Amino acid sequence: MCGLFPFPLVSGNSDKIDELRRRKAKSQSGGGQKRISAQHAKGKMTARERIQELLDEDSFTEVDALVEHRCRDFDMDRNVIPGDGVVCGYGTIDGRLVYCFAQDFTVYGGSLGEMHGLKICKILDMALKTGAPVIGLNDSGGARIQEGVASLGSYAEIFFRNVRSSGVIPQISVIMGPCAGGAVYSPAITDFVVMVEETSHMFITGPEVIKTVTNEEVGFEDLGGATTHATKSGVTHFTAKDDHVALDIVRELVSLIPSNNLDIAPSIETSDPLERSCDSLDTLVPEDPSRPYDMGEVIQEVLDLDSFLEIQDGFAPNIIIGLGRLGGQSIGVVANQPMHLAGCLDIDASVKAARFVRFCDAFNIPLLTFVDVPGFLPGASQEWGGIIRHGAKLLYAFAEATVPKMTVITRKAYGGAYDVMSSKHIRGDYNIAWPTAELAVMGAKGAVQIIHRRRIDSSKNPEQERQRLVDDYEESFANPYKAAALGYLDDVIVPSETRSALVKALGAILEKEEPRPEKKHGNIPL
Ligand code: HXC
């Protein structure tokens, strides 16, 4: 009778199901309660807790929970933990599919061995195939020392995939613990890095190696903490006071960007009236052109209420970048900030804005640029640091971008920086100015000094003559009307009408097409 029965007996099945449950439970418990408690004691969540909080409730499906390492050196065969120190899978954020992985510091310090790395590769491959964003939660001691070159091989497989996916799917890295050595290069290639204050560190070589090699004494936090990378290096785009805030930032970021390069940028209903008058803007720009004002106020006024997410706010504050919404449509904003360095473009500002412009262009996010720029920052250190090469990046990025481009000149647009900041000539689609705008080769004082030096020097009253010439120059050139007469501006508008003008323009150009010559890729001055 038994021989004829096609299925195993129920009791046999239940043993196998028990075995499966036992294996899954082992994988769920990571490195054990003691290490989980140690993780909590540091103010850090576990890998699984992080994923639960990142994704919509009950949306996570785990992949590869039963993967094990195959290292036999250093007695590693006696310490096999299913899952191999990284939790991988997919789920949703606001109902949209995302792939994610979270390194589990409680298992071999989250270190990346061969199989741990290949699990991440599988997630990156699935995200690319399905056109979904990928989010990496990093908390790792780096290359798993016991696995040697196999670990390095897996790292490189990840790097290759990060590069292959760049510009195809958004990639976001959250640093929630150590991230050292070559391991930093995966986050560095991804589109956005979020670092948690105090618990996360990123560096190529740690304090001890630096001490040995260069004799410099520097602590972990100073060397590679969140504040350092947010203000000095520009490596991180966001800092968060704890794991919860970091995960909130990721959710907000995902809501503002499309899932892949073939998708259109997200658009939602907005309760902020499209025709809302921005009255405060009529009096914002000071009469004295050397006095600063806050360009952040312009952005807040014009965009949909509370929709602006500033990126890299502590790095190169002379330029503001960020994502927000205009009439419900996701847009990218680039704006000179007169409160810092008078809004000049320097090396850091150029690089910061150029990479952001390229992100927006890759992912079909329209660009809105606010201009108040006296020029590129003068100085030997800027010249020697390569402002020519770095400034060219921003020019290249704006000129290359084929997404809808809108530009508002609020005050100064001088010299080469006028051309660079999404001018009509590099294919701005809707270029407008306020009556306070000054489009010129340079400011009045500098111009008069160069073209009227002899006249001033030979005058009976040089100071009076200089002032007269400055006033003349300002009247003739320090305005938007010469540029408007040439068609370099599509319009000059009352500042309070900026929001409604931009909403209408965006509607008109949203689906524009702008083909460029076929090529393998351009050669941006890196
Ligand atoms: C294997 C590791 C490990 C690693 C940590 N662990 N890092 N195991 N390979 N790289 C293990 C520890 O042995 C320990 O195991 C557990 O993880 C927790 O580590 P602790 O040291 O107890 O934790 P903590 O005091 O918080 O210090 C964390 C740490 C430190 C700062 C990350 O562990 C550390 O310095 N690790 C080495 C970092 C490193 O040099 N990595 C290589 C970098 S170069 P038990 O069993 O005791 O709990 C690199 C190159 C990448 O990564 C190249 C890519 C191309």
Side-chain angles (χ1 to χ4, degrees):
M1 181 72 183
C2 264
L4 296 174
F5 194 67
F7 304 110
L9 289 173
V10 172
S11 63
N13 267 350
S14 93
D15 284 353
K16 289 185 178 175
I17 289 168
D18 285 347
E19 164 73 1
L20 171 64
R21 290 209 172 104
R22 191 187 57 74
R23 284 174 181 261
K24 287 242 167 127
K26 191 169 178 205
S27 142
Q28 289 276 326
S29 57
Q33 194 49 51
K34 208 171 128 207
R35 289 190 182 85
I36 290 174
S37 302
Q39 179 88 344
H40 286 156
K42 288 184 208 159
K44 293 162 71 177
M45 298 160 82
T46 65
R48 285 178 193 283
E49 288 164 350
R50 286 167 175 164
I51 286 183
Q52 291 303 335
E53 189 156 319
L54 172 70
L55 301 179
D56 296 340
E57 211 177 334
D58 295 331
S59 74
F60 181 57
T61 300
E62 188 168 356
V63 173
D64 281 345
L66 302 176
V67 162
E68 297 174 353
H69 72 71
R70 47 185 179 172
C71 178
R72 297 296 170 258
D73 299 314
F74 302 101
D75 288 337
M76 282 288 278
D77 43 338
R78 284 198 272 160
N79 187 18
V80 175
I81 299 178
D84 204 34
V86 60
V87 182
C88 295
Y90 53 89
T92 57
I93 290 182
D94 295 333
R96 283 169 54 201
L97 175 69
V98 298
Y99 282 82
C100 59
F101 64 87
Q103 292 179 309
D104 184 348
F105 193 81
T106 70
V107 179
Y108 327 115
S111 60
L112 189 144
E114 176 202 17
M115 299 310 289
H116 174 127
L118 293 181
K119 279 183 67 173
I120 295 174
C121 288
K122 188 189 274 185
I123 288 302
L124 296 175
D125 288 342
M126 288 167 80
L128 183 64
K129 274 195 277 192
T130 54
V134 66
I135 300 152
L137 309 181
N138 297 260
D139 187 358
S140 165
R144 189 173 299 157
I145 294 161
Q146 298 90 329
E147 297 202 32
V149 72
S151 156
L152 302 186
S154 276
Y155 264 120
E157 292 287 344
I158 293 170
F159 302 158
F160 175 78
R161 284 167 174 79
N162 289 140
V163 174
R164 186 175 58 179
S165 297
S166 180
V168 184
I169 49 169
Q171 303 181 78
I172 300 170
S173 301
V174 192
I175 316 300
M176 311 179 98
C179 183
V184 296
Y185 285 117
S186 173
I189 292 167
T190 61
D191 299 297
F192 296 104
V193 177
V194 184
M195 286 184 78
V196 181
E197 286 160 23
E198 285 171 25
T199 49
S200 77
H201 298 107
M202 295 177 82
F203 41 73
I204 298 282
T205 45
E208 279 166 35
V209 177
I210 291 181
K211 171 90 177 103
T212 313
V213 177
T214 70
N215 214 21
E216 282 170 288
E217 294 216 18
V218 57
F220 275 90
E221 193 58 28
D222 225 15
L223 180 65
T227 306
T228 295
H229 287 307
T231 56
K232 290 190 176 139
S233 71
V235 165
T236 195
H237 298 85
F238 302 96
T239 62
K241 79 170 172 37
D242 57 25
D243 286 9
H244 305 284
V245 176
L247 299 169
D248 282 349
I249 291 171
V250 175
R251 288 182 64 94
E252 190 178 353
L253 192 52
V254 168
S255 78
L256 287 161
I257 59 181
S259 294
N260 59 63
N261 65 333
L262 301 177
D263 250 11
I264 51 170
S267 176
I268 58 167
E269 288 280 316
T270 176
S271 55
D272 196 353
L274 305 183
E275 304 265 316
R276 176 171 53 74
S277 176
C278 308
D279 296 336
S280 67
L281 301 187
D282 284 343
T283 51
L284 183 68
V285 176
E287 272 189 29
D288 177 354
S290 58
R291 277 192 48 208
Y293 62 94
D294 184 5
M295 190 64 97
E297 262 184 71
V298 179
I299 298 168
Q300 293 295 350
E301 260 304 296
V302 171
L303 265 55
D304 297 352
L305 190 65
D306 293 333
S307 72
F308 187 57
L309 176 64
E310 188 168 352
I311 297 168
Q312 286 183 304
D313 60 358
F315 180 71
N318 40 327
I319 204 153
I320 301 172
I321 58 169
L323 293 159
R325 291 197 171 88
L326 182 68
Q329 171 67 52
S330 270
I331 57 163
V333 177
V334 179
N336 306 117
Q337 171 57 289
M339 308 266 283
H340 294 275
L341 297 177
C344 276
L345 289 173
D346 63 353
I347 292 169
D348 287 346
S350 302
V351 173
K352 167 180 165 181
R355 185 143 201 263
F356 179 66
V357 167
R358 297 193 97 212
F359 171 80
C360 291
D361 188 46
F363 290 104
N364 311 316
I365 300 171
L367 282 163
L368 169 58
T369 305
F370 291 102
V371 182
D372 187 347
V373 63
F376 283 93
L377 185 68
S381 68
Q382 287 288 309
E383 298 292 342
W384 296 338
I387 183 71
I388 297 174
R389 194 159 48 87
H390 297 295
K393 289 176 184 167
L394 185 54
L395 168 61
Y396 192 108
F398 269 127
E400 176 190 49
T402 57
V403 285
K405 291 187 283 192
M406 304 186 291
T407 307
V408 182
I409 302 176
T410 59
R411 189 167 62 176
K412 296 168 194 167
Y414 291 167
Y418 154 71
D419 281 339
V420 167
M421 291 299 295
S422 197
S423 65
K424 194 56 137 185
H425 322 282
I426 57 171
R427 306 299 184 268
D429 297 298
Y430 183 64
N431 293 64
I432 57 173
W434 292 355
T436 43
E438 306 170 19
L439 289 78
V441 172
M442 60 177 68
K445 281 187 187 142
V448 162
Q449 182 60 23
I450 292 169
I451 56 181
H452 295 304
R453 184 160 50 90
R454 282 205 194 96
R455 189 165 167 173
I456 293 167
D457 289 348
S458 61
S459 154
K460 282 190 193 142
N461 188 339
E463 275 324 300
Q464 202 176 6
E465 180 63 358
R466 183 195 308 277
Q467 194 53 53
R468 189 186 67 73
L469 290 165
V470 165
D471 292 346
D472 272 4
Y473 183 97
E474 274 178 353
E475 201 178 316
S476 309
F477 296 101
N479 63 58
Y481 300 111
K482 285 235 178 323
L486 291 166
Y488 297 172
L489 294 171
D490 296 302
D491 204 356
V492 180
I493 64 158
V494 177
S496 52
E497 293 167 4
T498 307
R499 175 174 164 83
S500 62
L502 291 172
V503 167
K504 278 190 215 139
L506 185 57
I509 60 178
L510 198 54
E511 290 179 28
K512 72 147 197 181
E513 287 182 14
E514 195 173 323
R516 294 283 158 86
E518 286 277 316
K519 54 177 133 175
K520 186 172 177 192
H521 58 70
N523 190 11
I524 190 166
L526 293 174

